[in-house]
């Protein structure tokens, strides 16, 4: 995917120059989709860090600080970042192929796991921590402000910040022109395919060691933090105009200060801030920052960032959603099949923006137990399997996707069902969520070569 800050409207003004509301909206309109042939993709993989031997025990702040200090000395191709609760995230550089992306992140994960293992720690792929309550690890003004802002709507924000983890797939926006690989179609497909990805890869049914009644509790928490912060714009109309309007009408998380705590206004939209100019007029830099405080399921950043997939079990479980998503978007035949598979389900959304509509809620609650979503998922997985060799996937990757289709989708199951099945057996549950060792995926294959 392209760096959305490298060209175009992003270079037009000095960051410290205050701008009128119309100018700010025009900037968003100009940078949200960088169109052209889909050539690159990327992935961000988030992980919980747990004790290798007893993952139910919380990892102390001191140990997390020490292990992150060690990790920052390790040369990685991916960007290493830390989430507010201490979760680890690796963000790949834009890759020219699926296999290049897989190879880069896999190599980096091997290096990360080696450092963690030296301290008796490991990475766990699960959408929400099944045992531990939210606990802040990072103490920075941004996260202090975010916590204050999200606490106004309940506890969901703290769960999202501190105890959740995901697999985020980034794709080029697509062509300016219409068609299966055009940016309008890809924008529509990302929002309509989102419920299938939520349901097929749901992996967070537990909070505090107990079932929540949701296959993806992580997605539930995202929905609960509200439409302004975590919602998408309407899908009807021009995507650029819809996103630009959404950004301007979204609530401001904070107004930053050079010193002291940041202001956290209640209910102030960015448009209102720009029009009032109080407590100071917003700048281009403020707009850029505001964009990072919005968490819709599909975020346009020049490219498309798909944010709805739970973290997956096993060392290589993240590869399956990456491969399926890449195939369904970047192969024209598979993209057309996915479009046709999802079109009949669109009416279940009731024309309401994602994820705050019945289709997304059903996906998060029922996973593959929803018959229509399971049928659509099977069509999409089969289309992806046919497309994967065409986009350069190895036999190992294709086999991992086929194994996932057989083990979960066809059976009407998702990884959340495994956690629920094993809930009554603490030994099995521990092994199911135990930080993975070795190079095998959740399906018993090494998919990295």
């Amino acid at each position: 995917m392209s760096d959305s800050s490298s060209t175009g409207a992003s270079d037009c003004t000095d960051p410290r120059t205050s701008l009128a509301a119309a100018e700010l909206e025009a900037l968003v309109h100009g940078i949200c989709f960088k169109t052209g042939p889909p050539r690159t993709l990327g992935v961000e993989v988030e992980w919980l860090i747990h004790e290798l031997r007893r993952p139910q025990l919380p990892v102390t702040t001191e140990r997390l600080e020490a292990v992150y200090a060690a990790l920052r000395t390790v040369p990685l191709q991916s960007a290493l970042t830390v989430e507010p609760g201490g979760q680890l995230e690796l963000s790949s550089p834009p890759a020219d192929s699926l296999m290049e992306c897989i190879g880069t992140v896999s190599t980096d994960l091997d290096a990360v796991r080696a450092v963690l293992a030296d301290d008796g720690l490991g990475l766990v792929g699960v959408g929400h921590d099944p045992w531990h309550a939210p606990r802040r690890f990072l103490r920075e003004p941004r996260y202090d402000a975010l916590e204050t802002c999200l606490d106004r709507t309940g506890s969901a924000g703290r769960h999202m910040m501190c105890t959740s983890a995901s697999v985020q797939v980034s794709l080029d926006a697509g062509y300016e022109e219409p068609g299966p690989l055009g940016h309008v179609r890809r924008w529509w497909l990302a929002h309509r395919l989102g419920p299938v990805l939520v349901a097929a890869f749901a992996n967070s049914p537990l909070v505090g060691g107990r079932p929540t009644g949701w296959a993806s509790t992580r997605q539930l928490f995202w929905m609960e933090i509200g439409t302004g912060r975590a919602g998408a714009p309407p899908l009807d109309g021009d995507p650029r105009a819809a996103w630009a309007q959404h950004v301007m009408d979204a609530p401001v998380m904070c107004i930053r200060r050079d010193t002291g705590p940041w202001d956290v206004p209640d209910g102030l939209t960015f448009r209102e801030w720009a029009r009032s100019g109080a407590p100071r007029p917003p700048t281009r830099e403020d707009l850029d920052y505001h964009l990072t405080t919005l968490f819709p399921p599909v975020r346009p950043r020049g490219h498309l960032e798909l944010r709805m997939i739970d973290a997956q079990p096993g060392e290589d479980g993240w590869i399956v959603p990456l491969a399926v998503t890449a195939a369904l978007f970047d192969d024209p035949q598979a993209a057309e099949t996915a479009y046709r598979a999802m079109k009949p389900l669109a009416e279940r959304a009731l024309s309401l923006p994602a994820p705050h509509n019945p289709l997304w809620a059903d996906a998060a609650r029922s996973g593959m137990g929803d018959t229509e979503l399971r049928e659509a998922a099977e069509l999409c997985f089969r289309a992806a399997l046919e497309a994967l060799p065409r986009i350069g996937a190895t036999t190992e990757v294709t086999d991992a996707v086929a194994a996932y289709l057989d083990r979960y989708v066809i059976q009407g199951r998702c990884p959340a069902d495994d956690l629920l099945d094993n809930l009554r057996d603490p030994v099995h549950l521990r092994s199911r969520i135990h930080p993975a060792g070795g190079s095998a995926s959740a399906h018993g294959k090494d998919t990295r070569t």
Side-chain angles (χ1 to χ4, degrees):
M1 68 243 105
S2 307
D3 180 355
S4 61
S5 64
S6 61
T7 60
S10 58
D11 296 327
C12 294
T13 60
D14 185 280
R16 295 290 182 178
T17 303
S18 61
L19 300 171
E23 294 174 293
L24 291 162
E25 188 164 358
L27 279 171
V28 178
H29 189 282
I31 65 175
C32 56
F33 295 97
K34 291 189 67 176
T35 54
R39 291 196 178 103
T40 60
L41 78 157
V43 68
E44 298 179 11
V45 286
E46 296 174 345
W47 305 84
L48 305 176
I49 297 180
H50 281 189
E51 294 276 358
L52 277 171
R53 295 186 180 276
R54 298 187 66 189
Q56 309 96 312
L57 296 179
V59 181
T60 65
T61 297
E62 292 73 21
R63 288 184 71 191
L64 283 176
E65 289 173 344
V67 78
Y68 276 120
L71 285 171
R72 291 188 183 97
T73 68
V74 178
L76 302 170
Q77 294 185 68
S78 304
L80 172 67
T81 51
V82 186
E83 294 298 301
Q87 309 98 304
L88 182 146
E89 179 182 85
L90 286 180
S91 303
S92 74
D96 291 328
S97 70
L98 171 65
M99 294 313 302
E100 178 186 326
C101 185
I102 291 172
T104 296
V105 177
S106 295
T107 298
D108 288 343
L109 282 170
D110 286 343
V112 167
R113 287 192 176 97
V115 172
L116 292 173
D118 285 343
D119 196 30
L121 301 174
L123 300 176
V124 175
V126 64
H128 186 278
D129 193 312
W131 292 297
H132 305 128
R135 178 194 62 172
R136 281 272 301 283
F137 171 66
L138 296 181
R139 295 291 171 182
E140 300 174 3
R142 170 184 172 88
Y143 298 119
D144 292 343
L146 181 59
E147 185 175 270
T148 299
C149 176
L150 296 181
D151 278 353
R152 291 173 177 151
T153 58
S155 63
R158 295 195 181 209
H159 286 273
M160 178 272 289
M161 291 173 63
C162 300
T163 49
S164 69
S166 68
V167 176
Q168 300 177 17
V169 181
S170 292
L171 305 151
D172 280 330
Y175 289 99
E176 186 69 27
E177 298 76 20
L181 301 185
H183 78 283
V184 174
R185 172 72 70 84
R186 285 160 75 87
W187 176 248
W188 185 96
L189 183 60
H191 289 88
R192 293 305 188 211
L193 187 62
V196 163
L197 298 175
V198 168
F201 298 109
N203 188 34
S204 52
L206 305 175
V207 172
R210 297 181 179 180
T212 64
W214 293 72
S216 177
T217 308
R218 173 184 166 275
Q219 184 59 49
L220 169 64
F221 287 139
W222 280 108
M223 291 188 289
E224 288 184 341
I225 67 175
T227 57
R229 184 75 49 207
L235 282 183
D236 55 339
D238 174 63
R240 287 189 176 95
W243 176 249
Q245 180 177 335
H246 179 75
V247 168
M248 295 300 295
D249 293 334
V252 173
M253 186 187 88
C254 61
I255 298 176
R256 295 170 296 163
R257 297 177 177 272
D258 292 332
T259 59
W262 295 356
D263 293 335
V264 185
D266 189 359
L268 177 71
T269 70
F270 200 85
R271 189 185 305 279
E272 291 167 342
W273 182 19
R275 287 175 174 171
S276 70
R280 60 171 176 79
T283 65
R284 168 59 197 274
E285 190 178 52
D286 290 317
L287 174 63
D288 291 341
Y289 192 83
H290 176 61
L291 290 168
T292 71
T293 70
L294 303 181
F295 312 116
V298 183
R299 186 162 64 179
R301 303 180 64 188
H303 58 276
L304 301 180
E305 184 181 79
L306 278 63
R307 304 169 52 84
M308 71 287 294
I309 302 169
D310 279 359
Q312 295 297 288
E315 283 198 351
D316 294 341
W318 59 274
I319 293 175
V320 174
L322 171 63
V324 169
T325 306
L328 293 178
F329 277 84
D330 288 350
D331 179 84
Q333 185 176 334
E336 188 65 24
T337 299
Y339 174 75
R340 292 177 180 176
M342 295 312 303
K343 207 166 184 180
L345 288 178
E347 63 183 29
R348 285 178 57 181
L350 303 181
S351 298
L352 298 173
H356 301 92
N357 64 53
L359 182 59
W360 280 76
D362 291 343
R365 183 184 296 106
S366 303
M368 287 285 89
D370 185 296
T371 302
E372 288 186 325
L373 281 168
R374 183 196 61 75
E375 292 172 352
E378 185 172 346
L379 288 172
C380 290
F381 268 72
R382 294 194 185 281
L385 280 171
E386 292 180 4
L388 282 169
R390 296 196 291 265
I391 65 171
T394 62
T395 300
E396 290 79 9
V397 169
T398 304
D399 287 349
V401 173
Y404 197 98
L405 171 64
D406 291 340
R407 176 176 176 178
Y408 292 115
V409 177
I410 291 176
Q411 304 299 324
R413 293 176 61 85
C414 57
D417 293 304
D418 292 345
L419 295 176
L420 293 171
D421 286 348
N422 293 327
L423 183 61
R424 295 180 183 276
D425 188 335
V427 174
H428 286 171
L429 181 60
R430 254 196 326 270
S431 65
R432 178 78 181 120
I433 310 179
H434 201 285
S439 61
S441 73
H443 318 295
K445 296 180 180 292
D446 186 346
T447 58
R448 297 183 257 173
T449 58

